[in-house]
Structure formats: C-alpha cells, structure tokens
Amino acid sequence: MPVEEFVAGWISGALGLVLGHPFDTVKVRLQTQTTYRGIVDCMVKIYRHESLLGFFKGMSFPIASIAVVNSVLFGVYSNTLLVLTATSHQERRAQPPSYMHIFLAGCTGGFLQAYCLA
C-alpha cells in the first residue's frame, strides 16, 4: 500500500496545481501589469491573445516539483503510520490508529515535506 500512497500524493499534487494555476496566473498578471481593468478583463485578454494555454504558462516545473513534494508527504505519512502502529494497511481498517499516531505521522510527513520545499 505505501507505493499507492506515493502515487496518490503525486496525483493530488498535480491536480491541485492544474486547478489552481490559472487563478495564480491571473493574480500575478493583475499584480504586475496595469493594463487590466479587473479580473474578468484580465481573463478575457489572456484567453483572446494566448488561448486556454495562456492560463497554464510556466507550469511544467511546478507540476513536477509539487507532485514530488506531495508524494513525499503521502508516502512518509503512510509509512510512518505503518511503523508506529505495527499493523498492515488492511489491519488498520479494522482497528484505526490512535490520534497520537496520526499526529506523529502527520508531523513527520509535514517536516519532510517542508524540508523538500525549502
């Protein structure tokens, strides 16, 4: 199961970026350029001049890095929980881990995720 956690982290990171990147593109253009009269004007001009792909410019590196970082979080969390509870993934469904184990696994995953980001 831990391999599936890494894959799930990669997919969630990639999807989160694909959904959020167009909004970030509009935000950055509004902050750096004065040619737009507002959010809708910015979106219309991007679409007219650059097509739908204009909203996704500069996304190749972030999609690779965010996917890796999220897969680290999911994978480390799952593996840490396996070590702390000493149970398999199937056994965890029958007897859920304690809140302390979940907290420690989350802290471990978050720490390593922050390390990768920094």
Side-chain angles (χ1 to χ4, degrees), residues 6-7 35 96:
F6 281 104
V7 172
T35 59

Side-chain angles (χ1 to χ4, degrees), residues 5-88:
E5 300 290 340
F6 281 104
V7 172
W10 186 86
I11 292 170
S12 72
L15 284 176
L17 186 66
V18 167
L19 294 174
H21 195 76
F23 297 109
D24 194 44
T25 299
V26 171
K27 176 194 67 134
V28 168
R29 292 209 185 174
L30 286 170
Q31 289 174 336
T32 59
Q33 299 175 15
T34 58
T35 59
Y36 302 113
R37 290 178 286 157
I39 295 171
V40 175
D41 182 51
C42 181
M43 292 171 66
V44 168
K45 285 182 179 177
I46 290 172
Y47 183 73
R48 281 188 187 156
H49 298 294
E50 304 171 44
S51 77
L52 192 60
L53 296 178
F55 291 101
F56 298 97
K57 278 187 174 179
M59 197 173 82
S60 57
F61 180 75
I63 202 161
S65 62
I66 267 306
V68 169
V69 169
N70 271 12
S71 69
V72 166
L73 173 65
F74 277 55
V76 169
Y77 171 80
S78 178
N79 285 316
T80 303
L81 204 53
L82 287 174
V83 168
L84 290 173
T85 60
T87 60
S88 69

